């Protein structure tokens, strides 16, 4: 009877041209040989119309998906008419309907049965229709998702029922296969192969990584490095070393004075010495002030300020020469020099040049700035005239430097026995260092151009420790 079909879910195959339709049977007309589906889906996509009617001549195959009544009439795929033979089916057991209506499909899943569409290749796998899970009957059980329970794997046969994954049930034994891999033997074979081919070995895990070299470093074998390349006839109480490990001994003030005297006799005049000392000291000061990060066109409005404290002696002339070079590099220089009736010619000539730079010169301590400056260069001390430390201007200048809280660079400081009123953060020595006091701070050494034979003439075996620089740091050995 036609009423037995109403409400059942069916799948109608109309061939490759019209495709496959699924839906709920709304009416069956035996006289006109038509069947109508409510809320139909065409090839898995919901149709825009609420109902579709099919003629028996267009139906190639009809499959029952869900039954709402106990009796069902089975369609014939060989004719164009619907059979009227009633079939008794237990209500609520759609699987038995599948066995009776289409026994040839009993061993296939729902997804596999939909692959038997004419015109489609066998390897084609179809997606689940969106209505298939939401429109199941009340008594139909929803398949569980894939998961592991009690050590066993369960698969969703509706989605993975094509039988191609049967060989994937056995897990891959990673530990067992890793145990078969002999790493030491493989590395040994690679090493032997590379050595035979002349290639450099990458090394086994037991070997240490070879040393890495710079692009400009000599890797050829050379003579052993001699770190003590400077020897003096009478070594001082202190020794220093450079960043590369070269030993630089200190010398006494008497040997230092004799070395400069011999150099001046050979043409290295005091004026040349002052110029070299000023250049080296200004280069060091510019680096301490910030170097290229500070001296850029964008920072012209923030010019650094340097205070020069100089005495009326050669050390003071060296400081004035340094101030002239700093002023030429856009540094605001404030020069303090006490008034004397008569000064050294070197100091007078350096003052004349400094006056052309636009730097400030003052002789009264009260005229020095009250706010901290960027750097203080101390040239108050003299190697010979220690009585200057008792002068009022010297004590006033030293007190101002200690209260200003700016870092201090001491230029050509005296030996440790004389004492220093101003504690320095850095000290710059000439040629070879003197044994300086602990208050001299970190010691630097500058090259003022004394030739090697001049060192030899005073009994010093000398090899330049400066390398490519004119100012180098020294460390206590």
């Amino acid at each position: 009877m036609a009423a037995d079909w109403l409400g059942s879910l069916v799948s109608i195959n109309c061939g490759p041209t019209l495709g496959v339709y699924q839906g709920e049977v709304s009416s069956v007309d035996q006289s006109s040989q038509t069947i109508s589906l409510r809320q139909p889906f065409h090839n898995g996509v919901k149709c825009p119309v609420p109902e579709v009617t099919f003629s028996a001549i267009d139906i190639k195959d009809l499959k029952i998906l869900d039954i709402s009544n106990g009796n069902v009439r089975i369609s014939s795929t060989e004719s164009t008419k619907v059979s009227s033979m009633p079939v008794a089916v237990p209500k609520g057991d759609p699987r038995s309907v599948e066995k009776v209506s289409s026994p040839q499909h009993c061993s296939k899943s729902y997804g596999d049965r939909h692959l038997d569409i004419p015109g489609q290749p066998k390897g084609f796998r179809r997606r689940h229709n969106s209505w298939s899970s939401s429109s199941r009957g009340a008594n139909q059980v929803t398949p569980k998702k894939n998961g592991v329970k009690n050590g066993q794997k369960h698969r969703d046969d509706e989605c993975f029922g094509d039988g191609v994954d049967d060989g994937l049930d056995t897990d891959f034994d990673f530990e067992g296969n890793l145990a078969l891999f002999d790493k030491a033997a493989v590395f040994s074979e690679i090493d032997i192969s590379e050595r035979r081919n002349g290639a450099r070995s990458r090394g086994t895990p037991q070997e240490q990584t070879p040393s890495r070299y710079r692009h400009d470093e000599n890797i050829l074998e050379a003579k052993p490095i001699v770190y003590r390349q400077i020897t003096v006839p009478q070594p001082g109480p202190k020794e220093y070393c450079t960043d590369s490990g070269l030993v630089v001994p200190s010398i006494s003030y008497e040997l230092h004075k004799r070395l400069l005297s011999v150099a001046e006799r050979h043409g290295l005049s005091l004026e040349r010495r002052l110029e070299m000392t000023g250049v080296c000291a200004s280069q060091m000061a510019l680096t301490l002030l910030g170097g290229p990060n500070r001296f850029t066109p964008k920072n012209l409005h923030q010019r650094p300020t340097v205070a020069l404290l100089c005495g009326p002696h050669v050390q003071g002339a060296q400081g004035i020469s340094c101030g002239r070079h700093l002023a030429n590099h856009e540094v605001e220089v404030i020069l303090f020099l006490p008034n004397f009736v008569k000064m050294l010619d070197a100091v007078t000539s350096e003052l004349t040049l400094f006056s052309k730079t636009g730097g400030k010169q003052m002789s009264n301590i009260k005229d020095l700035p009250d706010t901290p400056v960027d750097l203080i260069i101390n040239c108050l001390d003299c190697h010979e005239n220690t009585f200057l430390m008792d002068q009022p201007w010297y004590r006033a200048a030293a007190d101002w430097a200690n209260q200003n809280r700016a870092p201090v660079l001491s230029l050509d400081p005296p030996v440790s026995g004389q004492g220093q009123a101003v504690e320095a953060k850095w000290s710059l020595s000439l040629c070879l260092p003197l044994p300086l006091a602990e208050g001299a701070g970190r010691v630097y050494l500058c090259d003022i151009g004394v030739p090697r034979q001049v060192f030899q003439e005073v009994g010093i075996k000398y090899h330049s420790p400066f390398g490519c620089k004119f100012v180098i740091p020294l460390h206590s050995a």
Side-chain angles (χ1 to χ4, degrees), residues 143-198:
K144 294 182 179 180
K145 295 182 180 179
N146 295 341
V148 178
K149 184 177 181 182
N150 297 328
Q152 297 180 355
K153 291 187 176 181
H154 301 282
R155 296 187 305 169
D156 188 351
D157 287 338
E158 288 193 8
C159 185
F160 305 100
D162 52 4
V164 298
D165 297 335
D166 295 339
L168 300 180
D169 291 338
T170 304
D171 291 337
F172 181 76
D173 188 4
F174 287 96
E175 294 183 0
N177 283 269
L178 184 60
L180 299 176
F181 177 62
D182 190 355
K183 292 186 287 186
V186 173
F187 277 112
S188 177
E189 292 178 5
I190 295 175
D191 187 44
I192 294 173
S193 176
E194 289 184 346
R195 291 182 185 277
R196 288 176 179 174
N197 297 333

Side-chain angles (χ1 to χ4, degrees), residues 64-281:
I64 301 173
L65 306 179
D66 194 9
I67 306 171
S68 60
N69 297 315
N71 296 329
V72 175
R73 298 184 183 275
I74 306 302
S75 66
S76 174
T77 59
E78 302 296 334
S79 63
T80 60
K81 295 185 179 180
V82 179
S83 171
S84 60
M85 181 191 307
V87 180
V89 180
K91 190 171 183 179
D93 191 0
R95 292 177 292 179
S96 56
V97 177
E98 293 289 338
K99 293 178 181 179
V100 176
S101 60
S102 54
Q104 68 275 19
H105 299 294
C106 64
S107 63
K108 297 183 180 180
S109 64
Y110 165 68
D112 292 331
R113 294 195 301 272
H114 279 269
L115 295 178
D116 299 334
I117 301 174
Q120 288 185 346
K122 272 191 172 182
F124 177 77
R125 296 191 65 178
R126 190 177 189 83
R127 289 183 55 190
H128 273 298
N129 296 326
S130 59
W131 64 274
S132 61
S133 59
S134 60
S135 304
R136 295 179 185 271
N139 297 328
Q140 190 171 359
V141 180
T142 303
K144 294 182 179 180
K145 295 182 180 179
N146 295 341
V148 178
K149 184 177 181 182
N150 297 328
Q152 297 180 355
K153 291 187 176 181
H154 301 282
R155 296 187 305 169
D156 188 351
D157 287 338
E158 288 193 8
C159 185
F160 305 100
D162 52 4
V164 298
D165 297 335
D166 295 339
L168 300 180
D169 291 338
T170 304
D171 291 337
F172 181 76
D173 188 4
F174 287 96
E175 294 183 0
N177 283 269
L178 184 60
L180 299 176
F181 177 62
D182 190 355
K183 292 186 287 186
V186 173
F187 277 112
S188 177
E189 292 178 5
I190 295 175
D191 187 44
I192 294 173
S193 176
E194 289 184 346
R195 291 182 185 277
R196 288 176 179 174
N197 297 333
R200 184 176 63 87
S201 173
R202 291 187 294 250
T204 62
Q206 289 77 18
E207 294 180 358
Q208 295 183 353
T209 304
S211 303
R212 296 186 178 183
Y213 302 97
R214 300 194 311 269
H215 67 281
D216 58 346
E217 185 174 357
N218 183 19
I219 63 174
L220 300 178
E221 294 185 2
K223 296 180 181 179
I225 301 176
V226 178
Y227 291 100
R228 187 175 294 275
Q229 301 179 359
I230 302 175
T231 57
V232 296
Q234 297 177 353
K238 285 188 176 183
E239 279 191 345
Y240 302 91
C241 63
T242 64
D243 290 338
S244 57
L246 298 178
V247 178
V248 180
S250 64
I251 60 176
S252 63
Y253 172 69
E254 290 73 16
L255 182 58
H256 191 273
K257 182 179 179 181
R258 186 152 56 96
L259 174 65
L260 296 181
S261 176
V262 174
E264 187 172 355
R265 189 175 71 246
H266 287 287
L268 187 61
S269 62
L270 176 61
E271 289 77 12
R272 287 187 175 184
R273 208 168 72 225
L274 293 177
E275 191 67 20
M276 283 297 301
T277 305
V279 170
C280 293

Side-chain angles (χ1 to χ4, degrees), residues 288-454:
L288 297 177
L289 291 172
N293 297 325
R294 181 77 180 270
F295 294 91
T296 62
K298 296 181 180 179
N299 287 337
L300 291 179
H301 61 290
Q302 297 179 345
R303 296 174 57 188
T305 303
V306 174
L308 274 167
L309 306 180
C310 300
H313 37 63
V314 175
Q315 284 69 32
Q318 294 173 161
I320 300 173
S321 174
C322 173
R324 169 166 55 88
H325 290 289
L326 290 176
N328 291 338
H329 287 266
E330 303 298 328
V331 177
E332 185 176 350
V333 180
I334 301 174
L335 171 62
F336 168 77
L337 181 66
N339 284 327
F340 282 88
V341 177
K342 186 177 181 180
M343 293 187 182
L344 294 177
D345 294 339
V347 175
T348 304
S349 60
E350 290 295 334
L351 276 177
T352 302
L353 289 174
F354 177 80
S355 62
K356 305 300 180 181
T357 63
K360 300 179 182 178
Q361 179 185 351
M362 53 195 63
S363 58
N364 193 341
I365 294 296
K366 296 181 180 180
D367 296 333
L368 292 174
D370 298 331
T371 58
V373 295
D374 293 277
L375 180 66
I376 296 175
I377 300 179
N378 178 25
C379 303
L380 295 173
D381 298 301
C382 179
H383 292 288
E384 296 177 350
N385 299 328
T386 57
F387 67 90
L388 293 177
M389 299 180 64
D390 299 328
Q391 299 295 322
W393 60 266
Y394 182 97
R395 294 196 301 269
D399 293 341
W400 178 89
N402 292 328
Q403 295 174 4
N404 191 263
R405 296 175 298 179
V408 177
L409 168 62
S410 183
L411 181 56
D412 193 13
V415 295
S416 57
Q418 297 186 12
Q420 289 178 296
V422 180
E423 189 159 343
K425 189 174 183 179
W426 309 280
S427 292
L428 182 61
S429 296
L430 314 181
C431 296
L432 288 175
L434 301 175
L436 302 179
E438 296 297 332
R442 188 173 181 181
V443 181
Y444 285 76
L445 188 67
C446 71
D447 182 12
I448 60 173
V450 178
R452 180 182 300 181
Q453 292 185 3
V454 174

